[in-house]
Amino acid sequence: MRTHHTHTIKNTNAFKHQLLLWSQQFDDVLWLDSNHYEQKYSNFDALLAVDAFTSIQTDYHDAFEKLKEYQTMTKDWIFGYLTYDLKNDVESLTSKNFDGLQFPDLYFFQPKKLFLLKGNQLEMIYLNMVYDEWQTDLKAIERLNDLTTSHLNNSIKIKLRIHKDDYFHKVNTLLEHIHRGDVYEANFCQEFYAEDTSINPLETYLKLNVISKPPFASYLKCYDKYLLSASPERYLKKTGNTVISQPIKGTAKRSENSEEDAQLKHDLEASQKERSENTMIVDLIRNDLSKTALKGSVNVEEFCKVYTFKQVHQMISTISSEVAAETHPIDIIKSTFPMGSMTGAPKISAMKIIETLEETKRGLYSGAVGYFTPDNDFDFNVVIRSILYNETKQYVSYSVGGAITAKSDPLKEYEECLVKAKAMREVLEN
């Protein structure tokens, strides 16, 4: 059982920093921040879960079944992630590529302490066993005012797992598959990495967040493994009997010149190539959602709408469905996993082809981070625009990708990858 305490915050931005600094004493931490990005489907401005009371960590074998058992049994708030490689649980696929990060395939925890921020209202939701600690915690949090923890090491040397010529060769191979009809869109990703490197995870996350201000930012700490994410994309959300997915397909860079910036946005809206990429994924997601939806309830609410973020313009669609009250939340996720925006279509062929062409096991990149509530609702982002770090192995990694279709030009695709990688590179190298 949990007890709630509500508190009014004077300066929410300062309090967010204090909360994050305070959270570093725990082994299990998940912070989610919408950066005040207002949209129809927002729940909280920010949310922090710390200190595992119970948890589950597993590889992909029967992972969804184990998660279903865990989520049903706890019937509480649980926070964690699903890696892309859970595809191997859903379909008969494998992941044999290099993995420098070594994250478990699935990880969730039931926090002892939970903080929900909305406007200037803070709700503290503690397990009864630790409820008597809330006042001490709040005082400790509000006392923290040192927002800088250490100076970042700027001598990080980023390496490419796939070099430019090799990238062109692989994209051309993918285009051959498309022209042969094996697949009509595939999301091809590449890794940038640094070895023998130590970073300050929290400070790196804060810098990345300032540069990007995304609506699905997340900071995850699981012992010695960290995710520092500036994700702009929601994967799947359930509220009551309504499920929504908001895939991003279509990216354009920003310009500091307002006229040029408006033109770049207009060009993205008008681009047949970007619209066709988005349309293919919308069709795939409609199909995925229909597996658990009530008949006739799948609906495209927003189609190819361009949204502007600090780094890029993005084309986003919103697809919704209604599910029966008795439908298990894990079944909704399993029947749509991995998200179509990160695979391509048809999904299974795309996953098989990209597995042979990519050099790195995706792991948490292009997986999902989020939470379940005690009412069987959930909300998950897509892990993109993210830095991953294994402190013990001193290995830092970020990956970027793009959708390859029949109209793709390998050079333009490569340039789009560099646009997407810019914020992560900037944070790590400067």
Side-chain angles (χ1 to χ4, degrees):
M1 287 292 289
R2 289 185 180 269
T3 306
H4 296 232
H5 172 76
T6 309
H7 185 75
T8 304
I9 303 298
K10 289 189 188 81
N11 179 340
T12 51
N13 282 339
F15 186 78
K16 281 180 177 183
H17 277 94
Q18 291 167 318
L19 204 48
L20 270 165
L21 278 172
W22 175 82
S23 73
Q24 296 313 290
Q25 62 188 293
F26 301 105
D27 290 326
D28 303 86
V29 177
L30 181 54
W31 166 257
L32 302 167
D33 191 350
S34 72
N35 284 299
H36 306 292
Y37 195 88
E38 278 308 311
Q39 53 155 312
K40 186 178 164 186
Y41 293 104
S42 302
N43 270 8
F44 311 105
D45 293 337
L47 171 163
L48 173 73
V50 295
D51 201 10
F53 175 52
T54 66
S55 66
I56 176 176
Q57 249 191 63
T58 179
D59 64 13
Y60 68 85
H61 293 281
D62 293 328
F64 282 106
E65 218 33 63
K66 290 171 188 167
L67 178 59
K68 197 178 194 174
E69 210 173 282
Y70 178 67
Q71 191 268 338
T72 307
M73 187 184 71
T74 51
K75 201 86 181 92
D76 190 10
W77 291 88
I78 61 167
F79 292 75
Y81 69 72
L82 310 155
T83 62
Y84 173 77
D85 301 290
L86 295 182
K87 66 181 173 59
N88 307 339
D89 182 30
V90 182
E91 306 294 344
S92 53
L93 298 165
T94 54
S95 298
K96 293 202 164 72
N97 289 330
F98 173 77
D99 177 12
L101 287 159
Q102 307 278 317
F103 278 59
D105 289 338
L106 178 146
Y107 157 76
F108 278 87
F109 72 99
Q110 176 188 15
K112 290 181 190 168
K113 302 176 181 186
L114 179 55
F115 302 80
L116 308 180
L117 268 168
K118 183 83 177 168
N120 66 348
Q121 289 302 303
L122 168 71
E123 193 177 357
M124 300 169 76
I125 308 177
Y126 277 37
L127 284 178
N128 287 350
M129 62 195 279
V130 292
Y131 183 66
D132 59 349
E133 296 171 20
W134 76 263
Q135 282 170 301
T136 323
D137 288 348
L138 195 54
K139 279 189 186 132
I141 292 161
E142 290 179 329
R143 266 202 309 272
L144 290 165
N145 56 11
D146 177 22
L147 301 189
T148 53
T149 34
S150 75
H151 289 292
L152 289 182
N153 163 16
N154 296 333
S155 58
I156 293 174
K157 195 74 206 100
I158 304 289
K159 298 183 200 170
L160 288 78
R161 187 71 58 195
I162 297 173
H163 289 278
K164 196 171 177 179
D165 291 347
D166 204 16
Y167 178 87
F168 291 155
H169 173 68
K170 286 172 182 283
V171 171
N172 283 319
T173 306
L174 201 41
L175 286 166
E176 285 166 23
H177 279 288
I178 291 169
H179 297 315
R180 253 207 317 269
D182 303 334
V183 67
Y184 45 90
E185 175 175 345
N187 195 293
F188 175 58
C189 300
Q190 56 172 324
E191 183 194 23
F192 297 79
Y193 67 99
E195 296 162 302
D196 304 319
T197 299
S198 293
I199 62 171
N200 178 318
L202 181 57
E203 200 171 321
T204 306
Y205 163 76
L206 291 170
K207 279 186 78 171
L208 182 64
N209 194 47
V210 166
I211 287 179
S212 307
K213 284 275 179 272
F216 300 102
S218 49
Y219 173 89
L220 169 92
K221 175 187 178 188
C222 174
Y223 290 87
D224 62 341
K225 297 174 186 72
Y226 295 85
L227 163 74
L228 324 169
S229 177
S231 174
E233 183 171 4
R234 173 180 269 130
Y235 157 45
L236 209 59
K237 174 180 170 118
K238 175 180 177 286
T239 311
N241 295 340
T242 304
V243 177
I244 64 149
S245 183
Q246 296 180 297
I248 292 180
K249 271 287 154 266
T251 304
K253 65 181 180 186
R254 299 285 317 267
S255 168
E256 284 173 15
N257 173 318
S258 59
E259 279 177 28
E260 192 187 346
D261 195 52
Q263 188 59 47
L264 287 163
K265 183 176 179 177
H266 174 266
D267 292 348
L268 176 59
E269 283 168 334
S271 164
Q272 282 311 110
K273 176 196 173 281
E274 304 288 0
R275 290 182 83 87
S276 75
E277 272 185 28
N278 200 300
T279 305
M280 288 178 201
I281 298 307
V282 167
D283 284 345
L284 186 152
I285 288 170
R286 281 168 59 188
N287 183 51
D288 279 352
L289 288 179
S290 70
K291 295 171 190 168
T292 55
L294 294 168
K295 201 169 164 46
S297 73
V298 178
N299 177 36
V300 179
E301 292 187 16
E302 257 185 356
F303 184 55
C304 292
K305 186 168 175 192
V306 174
Y307 286 82
T308 296
F309 300 95
K310 277 188 86 165
Q311 296 280 321
V312 286
H313 300 292
Q314 302 269 208
M315 193 182 275
I316 305 178
S317 294
T318 300
I319 308 103
S320 66
S321 70
E322 296 295 318
V323 294
E326 64 275 9
T327 306
H328 201 287
I330 310 297
D331 292 336
I332 301 167
I333 292 173
K334 186 178 179 180
S335 63
T336 59
F337 199 84
M339 61 294 299
S341 62
M342 294 308 295
T343 59
K347 212 174 192 177
I348 297 171
S349 318
M351 289 192 288
K352 283 180 177 164
I353 292 165
I354 53 189
E355 183 67 37
T356 62
L357 292 171
E358 290 177 359
E359 296 291 332
T360 311
K361 179 180 164 175
R362 287 195 188 175
L364 185 46
Y365 170 68
S366 83
V369 164
Y371 62 90
F372 294 89
T373 74
D375 306 321
N376 285 335
D377 288 343
F378 58 74
D379 200 359
F380 283 88
N381 73 3
V382 178
V383 180
I384 50 175
R385 319 279 204 277
S386 300
I387 295 166
L388 290 147
Y389 175 47
N390 183 319
E391 191 173 31
T392 307
K393 293 193 173 301
Q394 296 196 315
Y395 188 87
V396 180
S397 163
Y398 61 91
S399 292
V400 288
I404 311 299
T405 63
K407 293 193 177 84
S408 287
D409 167 350
L411 178 61
K412 286 205 172 97
E413 293 297 340
Y414 191 74
E415 286 167 353
E416 186 184 305
C417 281
L418 298 183
V419 167
K420 290 172 177 172
K422 185 172 168 257
M424 280 95 71
R425 182 160 211 141
E426 217 170 283
V427 163
L428 290 170
E429 288 196 334
N430 302 319

